[in-house]
Amino acid sequence: MKALRQISIFALGLTLVGPTVRAQDIKLAPDGEPLPFTFSPGAQTRNEPSAIALIGNGLYLVADDDVPSLGIFNAQRRLLNCISLQQALPKANPCKKQGPDEDVKWEAMAKDDDYFYVIGAHNVRPREGREKLKSRSRMFRFKLKNASDPLEIDVARELNKEFDLKDSLTQLGLYDSRNPDTSKVKIEGLAVRKNAAGQTELIFGLREPLCERCQPKNVVEIYSATPDPKNNGPLEALQLKPLFTFAAQHPANNNWPFHLSSIEYVPSWRGFLVMTSTEDDNNKFFGNKLWFFSDTEIAAKFKGVKSIEELEPLQPNYYSREFENDTGKQQKAEGLTVVAECDLGLNEKLIKVAIVFDNDGPPGGKMQFVQLSKPPK
């Protein structure tokens, strides 16, 4: 944090006073190019990162949608250790793909004080079967022990808790555990916000499906759920409620709108930072983009709404240019986490985020630090 506060706002090219604000005024100041992760001999040689959360002390928790364990990385993007939520890993080679949770496909993470949340995709490809769908339909809350020591860090298993979304998703017509081929949901966004009573509110962003029941069609769906603070059991069913929707149409391709890849609540901005990325059925990439939606705008639209179809899609307060979309270096942004915040005065807050990119080809996943600013209120 101190290092960020010493950054010159002029070096970042930020303008504190200027002409009328345009909607697309989330400014990105990358701290270098996205760089690949590095691994120790004998560990995996590449990864496909799907989500990231800040642990602290320069350490990051990174989920991989092809590996059941979660990786502990430093700011230099080096793998230091791995942890598993469902089993104790061998000290000799903790990062090896193995164990009863091999079919898990982690897609999103969030942090709430000392707790972390991680959720699976809740989706399988056609004909992959019920057992794989069951493995991917998991959500956990957990704490870390020895969090300051990357070599000793592990899950405090006695504090683990699982949450169940399957009944609620079934009621919404998005999930059918008996027929995996008809389960259309794909969860890729997970965030935490404190409500007016100080309770934890969990936010879920769907990458798929885009809402065909809504007007206009094909909007991104965002839901919320509030865990019961009195429920101390190992399993709790959550009830999803509609929070907001937005249309993320790609200007260059009407057939392939932007799809949600991550969502993060930013307290100092009083709203949600949503990241989108898009590729078609042939894996052709159409770019990444950031969108910001304020608490005030969401609350104004939400009053009295009981179903997602009733919500009027929000227009973003601000959005960014497309990024990492230049020919020859296209990279799909999958996860982001806020690393630090800085008060620039005049009611403007600069935040630093870490973004992970999932690249299907070599060298695999990458990570980049980016400073973001938006206009004053």
Side-chain angles (χ1 to χ4, degrees), residues 14 25-28 264-274 290-296 317-320 336 338 340-344 347-353 370-377:
L14 304 179
D25 266 344
I26 293 180
K27 296 177 182 176
L28 293 80
E264 182 91 350
Y265 185 72
V266 185
S268 65
W269 284 14
R270 297 184 177 89
F272 292 95
L273 190 62
V274 176
L290 292 170
W291 316 70
F292 177 73
F293 301 90
S294 72
D295 289 339
T296 302
N317 296 84
Y318 308 105
Y319 56 87
S320 75
L336 85 160
V338 174
E341 302 183 30
C342 179
D343 189 345
L344 297 178
N347 205 27
E348 186 174 9
K349 310 284 186 181
L350 179 146
I351 63 173
K352 182 177 181 180
V353 300
V370 181
Q371 279 122 23
L372 307 177
S373 67
K374 67 177 182 61
K377 219 171 165 182

Side-chain angles (χ1 to χ4, degrees), residues 153-334:
I153 198 168
D154 203 352
V155 176
R157 299 180 194 286
E158 67 277 7
L159 299 175
N160 270 17
K161 180 167 184 171
E162 186 167 1
F163 293 93
D164 195 333
L165 300 176
K166 295 189 286 294
D167 287 347
S168 189
L169 289 170
T170 299
Q171 292 170 13
L172 293 169
L174 298 172
Y175 188 90
D176 185 352
S177 59
R178 298 166 300 177
N179 189 355
D181 288 1
T182 66
S183 294
K184 302 177 181 179
V185 69
K186 187 174 184 181
I187 299 171
E188 290 209 8
L190 182 61
V192 169
R193 177 175 72 168
K194 298 294 185 182
N195 63 20
Q199 294 176 312
T200 293
E201 183 182 16
L202 299 174
I203 312 300
F204 302 87
L206 306 190
R207 183 175 181 87
E208 297 174 7
L210 297 176
C211 183
E212 297 179 355
R213 313 180 303 279
C214 301
Q215 294 296 328
K217 292 183 179 181
N218 296 331
V219 298
V220 177
E221 303 179 43
I222 312 290
Y223 292 87
S224 70
T226 303
D228 183 356
K230 297 180 181 179
N231 187 331
N232 296 316
L235 178 66
E236 179 179 347
L238 294 177
Q239 187 65 40
L240 296 174
K241 298 179 180 180
L243 184 60
F244 69 95
T245 63
F246 71 97
Q249 193 64 45
H250 195 287
N253 193 320
N254 290 329
N255 295 322
W256 295 100
F258 284 106
H259 289 78
L260 181 144
S261 57
S262 189
I263 184 169
E264 182 91 350
Y265 185 72
V266 185
S268 65
W269 284 14
R270 297 184 177 89
F272 292 95
L273 190 62
V274 176
M275 189 164 67
T276 58
S277 59
T278 298
E279 58 192 2
D280 64 17
D281 287 343
N282 296 317
N283 218 28
K284 182 179 179 180
F285 182 64
F286 293 110
N288 311 296
K289 200 165 187 174
L290 292 170
W291 316 70
F292 177 73
F293 301 90
S294 72
D295 289 339
T296 302
E297 295 293 328
I298 294 170
K301 298 287 186 182
F302 181 76
K303 291 180 180 177
V305 171
K306 295 182 179 179
S307 69
I308 202 78
E309 295 92 336
E310 296 177 55
L311 283 171
E312 179 183 345
L314 285 180
Q315 294 296 320
N317 296 84
Y318 308 105
Y319 56 87
S320 75
R321 61 173 172 81
E322 291 180 33
F323 60 97
E324 293 306 317
N325 194 30
D326 296 337
T327 301
K329 65 173 199 176
Q330 297 175 340
Q331 305 178 89
K332 185 174 71 170
E334 281 280 352

Side-chain angles (χ1 to χ4, degrees), residues 123-134:
N123 140 291
V124 292
R125 294 187 180 92
R127 296 177 293 281
E128 283 190 323
R130 295 185 191 179
E131 287 305 309
K132 183 166 283 193
L133 180 65
K134 182 179 178 181

